[in-house]
Amino acid sequence: MPFFRCTICQDDGSPIAKNVTVMLAETKRDEWYGTITAAHLTSLGSGERYLLQLEDGRKGEFLVRRNTQAGDVDRAIAIRGTGPLE
């Protein structure tokens, strides 16, 4: 899965975190998923929707599937797109 730099936003478009690394896999235009690993995004709640804005200009809404401890300070946040990533 390739890595991308992105901004995570609330569903109203207000930024939560900038310059975050996300690992994404796209299976089809409307089906994508990935993992965010970051300590400062612990407030992302499982079952909640957010907006992902990639550095290359693509955007997509996603659902947090799981937010678990991945080490001493980092979290492994599993996400799934809820629509197109375009």
Side-chain angles (χ1 to χ4, degrees):
M1 286 194 270
F3 289 89
F4 297 91
R5 299 305 270 173
C6 69
T7 298
I8 307 293
C9 299
Q10 294 284 356
D11 57 1
D12 66 1
S14 58
I16 296 172
K18 295 181 179 181
N19 202 27
V20 175
T21 301
V22 61
M23 186 172 45
L24 287 178
E26 295 178 68
T27 55
K28 294 181 184 172
R29 181 176 167 265
D30 291 347
E31 294 179 24
W32 54 278
Y33 60 92
T35 303
I36 301 167
T37 303
H40 60 283
L41 294 175
T42 57
S43 63
L44 296 183
S46 295
E48 298 293 323
R49 292 179 187 260
Y50 301 93
L51 180 66
L52 181 76
Q53 298 178 339
L54 297 180
E55 205 172 51
D56 65 10
R58 292 181 290 165
K59 297 179 193 178
E61 191 176 271
F62 69 90
L63 178 73
V64 174
R65 294 182 63 204
R66 187 174 56 249
N67 186 344
T68 60
Q69 192 74 22
D72 291 337
V73 290
D74 285 336
R75 309 287 293 180
I77 303 164
I79 64 171
R80 179 179 51 85
T82 59
L85 182 61
E86 51 188 9

